[in-house]
Each structure stands twice: as C-alpha cells, then as structure tokens.
Amino acid sequence: MSKPSTKPPTFVTAPVEPQDYANSPAHYAVATRDHAALAKIVSTLPKLADANTINTEAESIAEEHLAEKISAVLDRRDNPLKESPLHIAVRLNDVESARIMAAAGANIYLQNSVGWHVLQEALLRRCKEIAPILVYHGHLNNWSKWRRRLPRLVAALRRMRDFYMEISFHFESSIIPFIDRVAPSDTYKIWKRAGNLRADTTLAGFDGLNFKRRNHSFLFINDVDRPDVPQGSLLVVKHDKKQVHVAEYQRMGTPLTEAQIAKDCNPKSVTRPGMDVSKAELVSCKNWRRQDRTEHVGKWKSRVYEMHNVVLTFRECKLPAVEALPSTEPQKAAEAAFKKNLRPMLWLTEKFPLETDELHRLLDILSKKLTAVKRMREVLKTTFPPRTFPVKISIPVVPTVRVVITFTKFVELLSEEDDFHTPPSSPGREEESSATFSSPPSKTDMDPFEIPSGYTWIRHDSNSKKARKVESSASKKKK
C-alpha cells in the first residue's frame, strides 16, 4: 500500500560553510567563490579526446577511464548533504563557478540529499543565469558521454550471437477484474545481427495505469551498407505515419538553439521519479514443502524469487510562471510526493542462451526511447546469482496491478552470409504488435534492417527541417 511520506524539504536550507568541504578542493573553491583556484583545478584534469574521433573499443575504454578520473574530482558528493560542487554553485547563485564546472564536464544529473539534481535545483531556485548554462553544457556532455561509449557498446553487440527474441508485456491483478481489457499487452520483437539491433513495439511506456501506445520500430544501425545512414544511428520508424526519424539523442552533438534552451529552462514543473534498488535483496520463494519454488517459464526451468527493499519514490514541484517571479530566491511551489515499498518477483534460470550482462547492453540502447524498457532496466540493476538470467519479471505499477515481462522466445539466427529469416512468432499476445514489416515466417522475408520503401525520412538539421522520400536499398537495387 502507498503511504504518504514525511515530506522532505524543498531545498537545502543550511548555509554554505567552506570548512565543511575542506576535504574536496573543488567544493572548497566553489564554497569560497575562488574562481581562479577552481579554474586551476580544472586545468590539471586529464583532457578527453573529441568524442567524434573515438572509433574503437580500446579507445572507448581508455576514454571512459579518463572520464572516471575527471568525475572523481568534479562530481564528488562525499558530504552529509550529498552535494556536488555544482550544487553549491547553484545554492550560492555563483554563475562563474557554474560555468567553469559545467564546461569542464561536471554531471548536472547527480542528486543531493533532498533528491534534486543540479538542473532541477537551479530551476526551483530560479537561477535564471545558471539554468541556461547547465542546459547548454549538459546537452553536449550527455552526447559526448554516449558517443564515447558507443564503440564499446557496438563491439559487445557484435560479440553476441545473432538472434531473434520476443518479450511479452501484460498486466495482471488479483483484485481488478478484466484488467486485460483496460491495460494493453504487447510482444516486443527484437532482432540482433552483427552490430545492428531492431525492436518492434506498440507499448512505448506506462506510468501507473497511464499507457503510451506507439506502433514503432527502433533500428540501431552499425553494420548496414547505406551511405545515408551514419553508423551508430538510432532510427525511429513510425508506421502509422510512415515516417523515419533519427532519435533525438543522435542529434545531440549539435549545440542547442536559444529557443530550445529557453524551453528547457521554463518547465511547468520538475519531477523526480525513481526506483532505488541499492539495498535490494533476493529472497527465494518456497513451496508448501518449504523447498525452493521452481516453475517452468516456457521451456526454461526457473527458480522464483522476491526482491525485497525496493523503494519507488515520486516527487513533483509545480513552478509559477517566470514572469511572476521578481527574484532568484527560492520560490514556493505546489508539491506532491509519495514513497512506497515494492516487491518485484523474478524467475531466474541458468538455461537461457543470453547472459544478463548482454541483456543490459541491449537495454542500454532501447531504454533511450522506451520507458517500459527503462522500468525493467531499473529492476535489473541488482546483482543476480552467477550464470542466471531473469526470464520473467513481475513489477508492481500500482498497489493492485503488476506488469509481467516474460521472455517467450529466443532463436539463434543463421549467419549473415546465409538467407536471413524471421522465425514464427510465439502464440498468444503477438497480435498487439502490428509493425508493418515484421515477422512472417519465411526465408524470403525482407531484411528487418532495411528501411521500407514509401516511408518519409524526417531529417532534422541545424538550419531547417526537411522531409524527403527514401527508398529501401532493395528498391534501389531493382532500379
């Protein structure tokens, strides 16, 4: 049951005392407003290469190690208030310190003890000069971080066997009758070949019992011979509109315009949903004989576990309009908050042909655009027994309703040189997934990584938004 939580304070109200941060040079320089000292600290940090020049797995790993060294200086939070140096800059409304830190790559999404990350804190305090700086640099830093990780992620993807997989999502309730008529079900269809990944879905996400339905395919492209598709692209194919979009974060290497920054700096509210699994503990379920409970999930024999000490929190502060605020002092905001303990259930098997670490890499890609995958990814942050795989997951979404995520099918595919085909779908819920070019059981199938003919490619560039018709390479070959 959800219980109203003791509402935490909106802001950290304690004064900034420099001596409290004497153990961290960056914190101390910000707390004392010593911009020269802060600039000197930043100048001694390792220099990261241009993210666009990182092309190999070895380069990616080396750059991540450098990034960790930088973060150890700029993102420290080993203090009672769990504040990074950027948090202090926001509390002091110190524009220059915020600019130095953000330009050096400081993470603007780390939370303090109250639960707000740096950008949220700046928005709530109405730091009108600092918030645009954080949005501008945070946007570029996020893209650089993703671009640095990309070669490592792609290399791991290429090392996996090629496969076709299905994951079903449906909702269950022991109290609400006919929940399946209210809540949608879906079967995610996933293809992996070489460094390419594709997922078809009609359920993009859910928040409680609010559902996002989208008839989309997501194509992560790395090993496809098409000059108009850059390697590392994530394409969103919108079947209802017959459009192909480049996912937003693929364009993040381009600086934001003033209009985009202004929009991000003037939200109607700031929210903080979160699932904390840092103290999660797997507890084996027992049968009536007090033995470990086992069940078959499809053909995979699994042990059943409950996950204890999982906490879901949500907090929202609605902001008054900017023009109504005469100063940059913290403003009163309407707040809503709740906190509840969850007990997800897991079915773990030692027989599934995919490893949990490999699943994490797939989810890292798909969670960029699918909130339903992001929820599953949060639960899977916990540590599982060695060589086990979560073939089924049951997660409470409201006190009386659970989403059940089941790996229903896994088929290793033929090598790329052979005829590529899509295996027949698992019986049951696949009717919900109606992507235009998916899953007839024939070796003459269209390549799932082809862009279908007749779809409009929506190109977003820095100067204009243009749409043009694109044809599949198969159609081009016919010409």
Side-chain angles (χ1 to χ4, degrees), residues 15-39 41 84-98 100-101:
V16 175
E17 300 290 351
Q19 62 270 21
D20 294 341
Y21 305 97
N23 65 321
S24 169
H27 283 86
Y28 189 79
V30 175
T32 57
R33 298 178 184 266
D34 191 340
H35 301 146
L38 184 61
I41 292 169
S84 69
L86 261 180
H87 277 107
I88 299 175
V90 169
R91 279 216 281 151
L92 296 175
N93 198 23
D94 186 342
V95 178
E96 184 60 20
S97 289
I100 293 172
M101 295 289 296

Side-chain angles (χ1 to χ4, degrees), residues 23 86 109 219 339 344 452 466:
N23 65 321
L86 261 180
Y109 296 110
L219 278 69
K339 176 180 179 180
K466 299 178 181 179

Side-chain angles (χ1 to χ4, degrees), residues 48 130 141 155 177 192 198 291-293 305 342 383 448 477:
L48 293 171
I130 291 181
N141 292 339
K192 182 271 168 188
R198 170 180 160 177
Q291 298 172 335
D292 289 345
R293 178 178 155 193
Y305 293 84
L342 303 181
T383 302
K477 290 178 181 177

Side-chain angles (χ1 to χ4, degrees), residues 57 146 149-163 165 190-199 218-223 231-234 354 357-366 449:
E57 183 177 17
W146 163 255
R149 291 184 61 234
L150 183 61
R152 188 177 184 180
L153 193 62
V154 172
L157 199 61
R158 287 172 177 153
R159 283 193 292 269
M160 296 183 202
R161 69 189 77 188
D162 293 342
F163 62 81
M165 180 168 66
I190 299 174
W191 292 257
K192 182 271 168 188
R193 186 181 68 195
N196 306 312
L197 186 68
R198 170 180 160 177
F218 299 87
L219 278 69
F220 181 58
I221 301 297
N222 288 282
D223 296 320
Q231 300 299 290
S233 295
L234 179 61
L354 201 64
D357 286 345
E358 294 175 326
L359 175 63
H360 286 165
R361 289 173 174 82
L362 304 181
L363 300 183
D364 281 346
I365 298 169
L366 298 178
F449 300 103

Side-chain angles (χ1 to χ4, degrees), residues 160-380:
M160 296 183 202
R161 69 189 77 188
D162 293 342
F163 62 81
Y164 170 76
M165 180 168 66
E166 293 182 1
I167 308 174
S168 73
F169 286 72
H170 72 277
F171 295 81
E172 294 181 348
S173 175
S174 58
I175 297 177
I176 302 176
F178 308 113
I179 185 65
D180 56 331
R181 297 184 182 180
V182 179
S185 61
D186 192 17
T187 297
Y188 282 22
K189 300 177 180 180
I190 299 174
W191 292 257
K192 182 271 168 188
R193 186 181 68 195
N196 306 312
L197 186 68
R198 170 180 160 177
D200 290 353
T201 173
T202 63
L203 177 63
F206 51 89
D207 181 8
L209 293 181
N210 297 318
F211 306 102
K212 294 181 181 178
R213 300 307 304 266
R214 304 283 191 274
N215 185 10
H216 289 174
S217 293
F218 299 87
L219 278 69
F220 181 58
I221 301 297
N222 288 282
D223 296 320
V224 172
D225 185 17
R226 287 199 58 156
D228 56 342
V229 181
Q231 300 299 290
S233 295
L234 179 61
L235 307 180
V236 182
V237 183
K238 301 182 177 181
H239 297 286
D240 294 336
K241 297 181 179 180
K242 292 195 172 182
Q243 294 177 345
V244 181
H245 293 249
V246 177
E248 292 177 2
Y249 76 93
Q250 292 296 132
R251 305 191 299 272
M252 287 175 64
T254 304
L256 294 175
T257 65
E258 291 185 4
Q260 290 170 322
I261 292 174
K263 181 180 179 181
D264 288 347
C265 289
N266 189 30
K268 294 181 180 179
S269 64
V270 294
T271 59
R272 192 209 65 200
M275 184 179 293
D276 183 5
V277 297
S278 60
K279 299 180 180 178
E281 178 186 3
L282 289 180
V283 178
S284 178
C285 295
K286 305 296 182 181
N287 59 22
W288 64 276
R289 294 180 178 178
R290 298 189 179 276
Q291 298 172 335
D292 289 345
R293 178 178 155 193
T294 61
E295 295 180 3
H296 274 86
V297 179
K299 62 182 179 181
W300 297 291
K301 185 177 181 180
S302 310
R303 288 188 176 182
V304 186
Y305 293 84
E306 270 194 342
M307 187 182 292
H308 293 192
N309 304 324
V310 177
V311 179
L312 178 67
T313 60
F314 177 84
R315 193 175 180 194
E316 179 181 33
C317 284
K318 295 184 178 180
L319 301 174
V322 172
E323 55 271 16
L325 301 174
S327 69
T328 60
E329 293 299 315
Q331 304 291 325
K332 291 183 177 179
E335 289 190 62
F338 74 80
K339 176 180 179 180
K340 65 178 180 181
N341 293 317
L342 303 181
R343 285 199 173 180
M345 294 186 67
L346 297 167
W347 284 253
L348 301 181
T349 181
E350 297 179 354
K351 302 298 183 180
F352 200 79
L354 201 64
E355 295 181 5
T356 303
D357 286 345
E358 294 175 326
L359 175 63
H360 286 165
R361 289 173 174 82
L362 304 181
L363 300 183
D364 281 346
I365 298 169
L366 298 178
S367 64
K368 298 286 184 182
K369 297 298 295 181
L370 294 169
T371 56
V373 171
K374 188 177 296 185
R375 179 68 62 86
M376 177 169 62
R377 182 171 174 263
E378 289 175 338
V379 171
L380 298 183

Side-chain angles (χ1 to χ4, degrees), residues 35-76:
H35 301 146
L38 184 61
K40 185 176 180 180
I41 292 169
V42 168
S43 69
T44 62
L45 296 174
K47 305 301 180 186
L48 293 171
D50 181 347
N52 286 305
T53 66
I54 309 303
N55 296 312
T56 68
E57 183 177 17
E59 291 172 341
S60 177
I61 293 172
E63 287 294 301
E64 287 190 25
H65 288 162
L66 288 181
E68 290 172 359
K69 292 180 179 179
I70 295 172
S71 179
V73 175
L74 301 184
D75 299 328
R76 288 181 62 172

